[in-house]
Amino acid sequence: MARMNRLDALGFFAGTLTTIAFLPQVIRAWRTGKTDDLSMAMLVIFSAGVGVWLIYGLLLKSPPLIVANGVTLFLVLIILGIKLRNLKRRVSR
Amino acid sequence: MARMNRLDALGFFAGTLTTIAFLPQVIRAWRTGKTDDLSMAMLVIFSAGVGVWLIYGLLLKSPPLIVANGVTLFLVLIILGIKLRNLKRRVSR
């Protein structure tokens, strides 16, 4: 494995931050069960974008891109799932 | 300028999606004025992460990274601003 240079380390740091950022959002949505103020379009477009980043990372065989986007997609899909469940409940009322 | 290959085009497509995703969230927060369900920690950590990605892009002199992260940071800071304004109003009540 190649030695990481400072620039690579900065990229890994950035990727770690933008990935773990969604953890408190998952926890908040899970605990409160509320997702009214989250834009559905944001969740759908962002999930699609992270999915394409994941494919890009797989084609490039880039472990940091694959890990960061894989974890982010997982977290954002949980938030989207809670949002969809809430919308479904509202319709069925 | 080098001709874009298919892989680069896929990366640009991914970057465009993850950037424009925040536009409907800005519009929603702006219109409703409500940000209760948005995690403050998410907004702060995500802004910091996108800021580091921007520095990474500037050091790499990568136009797509600079543009995508510059625009994303701008949009996320608007959402964070609305969230902070709402928190301030609540405290002052």
Short mmCIF file of all heavy atoms in Angstrom, two decimals, chain A residues 18-53:
data_model
loop_
_atom_site.label_atom_id
_atom_site.label_comp_id
_atom_site.label_asym_id
_atom_site.label_seq_id
_atom_site.Cartn_x
_atom_site.Cartn_y
_atom_site.Cartn_z
N THR A 18 -17.93 14.39 5.95
CA THR A 18 -19.19 14.42 5.20
C THR A 18 -19.96 13.10 5.32
O THR A 18 -21.15 13.06 5.02
CB THR A 18 -18.97 14.81 3.71
OG1 THR A 18 -17.94 14.00 3.16
CG2 THR A 18 -18.58 16.27 3.57
N THR A 19 -19.28 12.04 5.75
CA THR A 19 -19.97 10.76 5.96
C THR A 19 -20.61 10.70 7.34
O THR A 19 -21.81 10.45 7.47
CB THR A 19 -18.99 9.58 5.79
OG1 THR A 19 -18.49 9.59 4.46
CG2 THR A 19 -19.66 8.25 6.07
N ILE A 20 -19.81 10.99 8.40
CA ILE A 20 -20.35 10.88 9.76
C ILE A 20 -21.39 11.96 10.06
O ILE A 20 -22.16 11.82 11.00
CB ILE A 20 -19.25 10.89 10.86
CG1 ILE A 20 -18.45 12.19 10.84
CG2 ILE A 20 -18.33 9.68 10.76
CD1 ILE A 20 -17.64 12.42 12.11
N ALA A 21 -21.42 13.03 9.23
CA ALA A 21 -22.40 14.11 9.44
C ALA A 21 -23.83 13.57 9.47
O ALA A 21 -24.68 14.10 10.18
CB ALA A 21 -22.26 15.16 8.34
N PHE A 22 -24.10 12.49 8.70
CA PHE A 22 -25.47 11.99 8.61
C PHE A 22 -25.89 11.13 9.79
O PHE A 22 -27.08 10.86 9.98
CB PHE A 22 -25.69 11.26 7.28
CG PHE A 22 -25.64 12.21 6.13
CD1 PHE A 22 -24.47 12.41 5.42
CD2 PHE A 22 -26.76 12.97 5.81
CE1 PHE A 22 -24.42 13.33 4.39
CE2 PHE A 22 -26.72 13.89 4.78
CZ PHE A 22 -25.54 14.08 4.07
N LEU A 23 -24.92 10.74 10.62
CA LEU A 23 -25.24 9.93 11.79
C LEU A 23 -26.15 10.67 12.78
O LEU A 23 -27.19 10.13 13.18
CB LEU A 23 -23.93 9.45 12.46
CG LEU A 23 -24.05 8.24 13.37
CD1 LEU A 23 -24.61 7.03 12.63
CD2 LEU A 23 -22.68 7.87 13.94
N PRO A 24 -25.80 11.93 13.19
CA PRO A 24 -26.72 12.65 14.09
C PRO A 24 -28.10 12.89 13.47
O PRO A 24 -29.11 12.93 14.19
CB PRO A 24 -26.00 13.97 14.39
CG PRO A 24 -24.91 14.10 13.38
CD PRO A 24 -24.54 12.70 12.97
N GLN A 25 -28.16 13.00 12.12
CA GLN A 25 -29.46 13.19 11.47
C GLN A 25 -30.30 11.91 11.54
O GLN A 25 -31.51 11.97 11.77
CB GLN A 25 -29.26 13.64 10.02
CG GLN A 25 -30.56 13.94 9.28
CD GLN A 25 -31.34 15.09 9.91
OE1 GLN A 25 -30.90 16.21 9.91
NE2 GLN A 25 -32.51 14.80 10.46
N VAL A 26 -29.64 10.77 11.37
CA VAL A 26 -30.34 9.48 11.50
C VAL A 26 -30.87 9.34 12.93
O VAL A 26 -32.04 9.00 13.14
CB VAL A 26 -29.40 8.29 11.18
CG1 VAL A 26 -30.05 6.96 11.58
CG2 VAL A 26 -29.04 8.26 9.69
N ILE A 27 -30.00 9.64 13.91
CA ILE A 27 -30.39 9.52 15.33
C ILE A 27 -31.57 10.43 15.65
O ILE A 27 -32.52 10.01 16.30
CB ILE A 27 -29.17 9.83 16.24
CG1 ILE A 27 -28.08 8.76 16.04
CG2 ILE A 27 -29.59 9.92 17.72
CD1 ILE A 27 -26.74 9.10 16.69
N ARG A 28 -31.51 11.68 15.14
CA ARG A 28 -32.60 12.63 15.41
C ARG A 28 -33.93 12.15 14.82
O ARG A 28 -34.97 12.16 15.49
CB ARG A 28 -32.25 14.01 14.85
CG ARG A 28 -33.29 15.06 15.22
CD ARG A 28 -32.92 16.46 14.76
NE ARG A 28 -33.85 17.43 15.30
CZ ARG A 28 -33.65 18.12 16.39
NH1 ARG A 28 -32.55 17.96 17.08
NH2 ARG A 28 -34.55 18.97 16.84
N ALA A 29 -33.88 11.73 13.53
CA ALA A 29 -35.10 11.28 12.85
C ALA A 29 -35.65 10.01 13.52
O ALA A 29 -36.86 9.83 13.66
CB ALA A 29 -34.82 11.02 11.37
N TRP A 30 -34.75 9.13 13.95
CA TRP A 30 -35.12 7.87 14.60
C TRP A 30 -35.80 8.14 15.94
O TRP A 30 -36.86 7.59 16.24
CB TRP A 30 -33.87 7.02 14.80
CG TRP A 30 -34.17 5.61 15.17
CD1 TRP A 30 -34.44 5.14 16.43
CD2 TRP A 30 -34.26 4.48 14.29
NE1 TRP A 30 -34.68 3.79 16.37
CE2 TRP A 30 -34.57 3.36 15.09
CE3 TRP A 30 -34.08 4.32 12.91
CZ2 TRP A 30 -34.72 2.09 14.53
CZ3 TRP A 30 -34.24 3.06 12.38
CH2 TRP A 30 -34.56 1.96 13.19
N ARG A 31 -35.16 9.01 16.76
CA ARG A 31 -35.68 9.32 18.10
C ARG A 31 -37.00 10.07 18.07
O ARG A 31 -37.94 9.73 18.77
CB ARG A 31 -34.67 10.17 18.87
CG ARG A 31 -33.57 9.37 19.51
CD ARG A 31 -32.85 10.23 20.54
NE ARG A 31 -31.63 9.58 20.97
CZ ARG A 31 -30.54 10.22 21.39
NH1 ARG A 31 -30.53 11.54 21.44
NH2 ARG A 31 -29.48 9.56 21.77
N THR A 32 -37.05 11.16 17.27
CA THR A 32 -38.24 12.00 17.27
C THR A 32 -39.32 11.41 16.34
O THR A 32 -40.50 11.70 16.54
CB THR A 32 -37.93 13.43 16.76
OG1 THR A 32 -37.55 13.36 15.38
CG2 THR A 32 -36.80 14.06 17.57
N GLY A 33 -38.88 10.64 15.34
CA GLY A 33 -39.84 10.10 14.37
C GLY A 33 -40.34 11.17 13.43
O GLY A 33 -41.22 10.94 12.62
N LYS A 34 -39.76 12.38 13.52
CA LYS A 34 -40.23 13.51 12.71
C LYS A 34 -39.28 13.84 11.57
O LYS A 34 -38.07 13.98 11.78
CB LYS A 34 -40.43 14.74 13.58
CG LYS A 34 -41.66 14.65 14.46
CD LYS A 34 -41.86 15.95 15.21
CE LYS A 34 -43.06 15.88 16.13
NZ LYS A 34 -43.15 17.08 16.98
N THR A 35 -39.85 14.00 10.38
CA THR A 35 -39.03 14.31 9.21
C THR A 35 -39.69 15.38 8.34
O THR A 35 -39.29 15.58 7.20
CB THR A 35 -38.82 13.04 8.35
OG1 THR A 35 -40.11 12.47 8.08
CG2 THR A 35 -37.94 12.02 9.04
N ASP A 36 -40.69 16.09 8.92
CA ASP A 36 -41.44 17.10 8.15
C ASP A 36 -40.55 18.14 7.48
O ASP A 36 -40.81 18.55 6.35
CB ASP A 36 -42.41 17.86 9.06
CG ASP A 36 -43.63 17.02 9.37
OD1 ASP A 36 -43.76 15.93 8.79
OD2 ASP A 36 -44.45 17.44 10.21
N ASP A 37 -39.51 18.60 8.21
CA ASP A 37 -38.69 19.70 7.69
C ASP A 37 -37.59 19.23 6.74
O ASP A 37 -36.84 20.04 6.22
CB ASP A 37 -38.06 20.48 8.85
CG ASP A 37 -39.12 20.96 9.83
OD1 ASP A 37 -40.28 21.09 9.41
OD2 ASP A 37 -38.79 21.17 11.01
N LEU A 38 -37.52 17.91 6.54
CA LEU A 38 -36.53 17.39 5.58
C LEU A 38 -37.19 17.33 4.21
O LEU A 38 -38.28 16.78 4.06
CB LEU A 38 -36.07 15.98 6.00
CG LEU A 38 -35.17 15.92 7.23
CD1 LEU A 38 -35.05 14.48 7.72
CD2 LEU A 38 -33.80 16.46 6.92
N SER A 39 -36.53 17.91 3.22
CA SER A 39 -37.06 17.91 1.87
C SER A 39 -36.91 16.53 1.23
O SER A 39 -35.84 15.96 1.17
CB SER A 39 -36.31 18.96 1.04
OG SER A 39 -36.40 18.66 -0.33
N MET A 40 -38.08 16.00 0.75
CA MET A 40 -38.09 14.71 0.08
C MET A 40 -37.21 14.73 -1.16
O MET A 40 -36.45 13.79 -1.42
CB MET A 40 -39.54 14.39 -0.31
CG MET A 40 -39.71 13.08 -1.00
SD MET A 40 -39.27 11.74 0.12
CE MET A 40 -40.52 10.58 -0.35
N ALA A 41 -37.30 15.83 -1.93
CA ALA A 41 -36.48 15.96 -3.15
C ALA A 41 -35.00 15.91 -2.79
O ALA A 41 -34.21 15.28 -3.50
CB ALA A 41 -36.82 17.27 -3.87
N MET A 42 -34.62 16.57 -1.69
CA MET A 42 -33.22 16.54 -1.26
C MET A 42 -32.77 15.11 -0.99
O MET A 42 -31.73 14.67 -1.49
CB MET A 42 -33.07 17.37 0.03
CG MET A 42 -31.64 17.55 0.52
SD MET A 42 -31.13 16.35 1.78
CE MET A 42 -31.90 17.01 3.26
N LEU A 43 -33.58 14.37 -0.24
CA LEU A 43 -33.21 12.99 0.12
C LEU A 43 -33.08 12.09 -1.11
O LEU A 43 -32.14 11.30 -1.22
CB LEU A 43 -34.22 12.42 1.11
CG LEU A 43 -34.24 13.07 2.50
CD1 LEU A 43 -35.42 12.57 3.32
CD2 LEU A 43 -32.92 12.82 3.23
N VAL A 44 -34.03 12.24 -2.04
CA VAL A 44 -34.02 11.40 -3.24
C VAL A 44 -32.84 11.75 -4.15
O VAL A 44 -32.09 10.86 -4.58
CB VAL A 44 -35.36 11.52 -4.02
CG1 VAL A 44 -35.27 10.82 -5.36
CG2 VAL A 44 -36.50 10.94 -3.19
N ILE A 45 -32.65 13.05 -4.43
CA ILE A 45 -31.56 13.47 -5.33
C ILE A 45 -30.20 13.17 -4.69
O ILE A 45 -29.28 12.69 -5.36
CB ILE A 45 -31.67 14.98 -5.69
CG1 ILE A 45 -33.00 15.28 -6.37
CG2 ILE A 45 -30.51 15.41 -6.59
CD1 ILE A 45 -33.30 16.77 -6.53
N PHE A 46 -30.08 13.41 -3.37
CA PHE A 46 -28.81 13.15 -2.69
C PHE A 46 -28.47 11.65 -2.69
O PHE A 46 -27.33 11.27 -2.96
CB PHE A 46 -28.84 13.70 -1.26
CG PHE A 46 -27.47 13.82 -0.65
CD1 PHE A 46 -26.60 14.83 -1.03
CD2 PHE A 46 -27.02 12.91 0.29
CE1 PHE A 46 -25.32 14.94 -0.50
CE2 PHE A 46 -25.74 12.99 0.84
CZ PHE A 46 -24.89 14.01 0.44
N SER A 47 -29.49 10.81 -2.42
CA SER A 47 -29.26 9.35 -2.46
C SER A 47 -28.80 8.91 -3.84
O SER A 47 -27.86 8.11 -3.97
CB SER A 47 -30.55 8.59 -2.12
OG SER A 47 -30.99 8.93 -0.84
N ALA A 48 -29.46 9.44 -4.89
CA ALA A 48 -29.09 9.09 -6.26
C ALA A 48 -27.65 9.52 -6.53
O ALA A 48 -26.85 8.75 -7.08
CB ALA A 48 -30.04 9.76 -7.25
N GLY A 49 -27.30 10.74 -6.10
CA GLY A 49 -25.95 11.26 -6.31
C GLY A 49 -24.89 10.43 -5.61
O GLY A 49 -23.85 10.10 -6.19
N VAL A 50 -25.17 10.06 -4.34
CA VAL A 50 -24.21 9.25 -3.58
C VAL A 50 -24.09 7.86 -4.22
O VAL A 50 -23.00 7.29 -4.28
CB VAL A 50 -24.61 9.17 -2.09
CG1 VAL A 50 -23.72 8.21 -1.33
CG2 VAL A 50 -24.53 10.56 -1.44
N GLY A 51 -25.20 7.35 -4.75
CA GLY A 51 -25.19 6.07 -5.46
C GLY A 51 -24.29 6.13 -6.68
O GLY A 51 -23.51 5.20 -6.94
N VAL A 52 -24.36 7.23 -7.43
CA VAL A 52 -23.50 7.39 -8.62
C VAL A 52 -22.04 7.54 -8.19
O VAL A 52 -21.14 6.97 -8.81
CB VAL A 52 -23.95 8.58 -9.51
CG1 VAL A 52 -23.04 8.73 -10.73
CG2 VAL A 52 -25.39 8.39 -9.98
N TRP A 53 -21.78 8.28 -7.08
CA TRP A 53 -20.41 8.39 -6.55
C TRP A 53 -19.86 7.01 -6.18
O TRP A 53 -18.68 6.72 -6.38
CB TRP A 53 -20.36 9.26 -5.29
CG TRP A 53 -20.21 10.73 -5.50
CD1 TRP A 53 -21.03 11.72 -4.99
CD2 TRP A 53 -19.19 11.43 -6.24
NE1 TRP A 53 -20.58 12.95 -5.39
CE2 TRP A 53 -19.45 12.81 -6.15
CE3 TRP A 53 -18.07 11.00 -6.98
CZ2 TRP A 53 -18.64 13.77 -6.76
CZ3 TRP A 53 -17.28 11.96 -7.59
CH2 TRP A 53 -17.56 13.32 -7.47
#
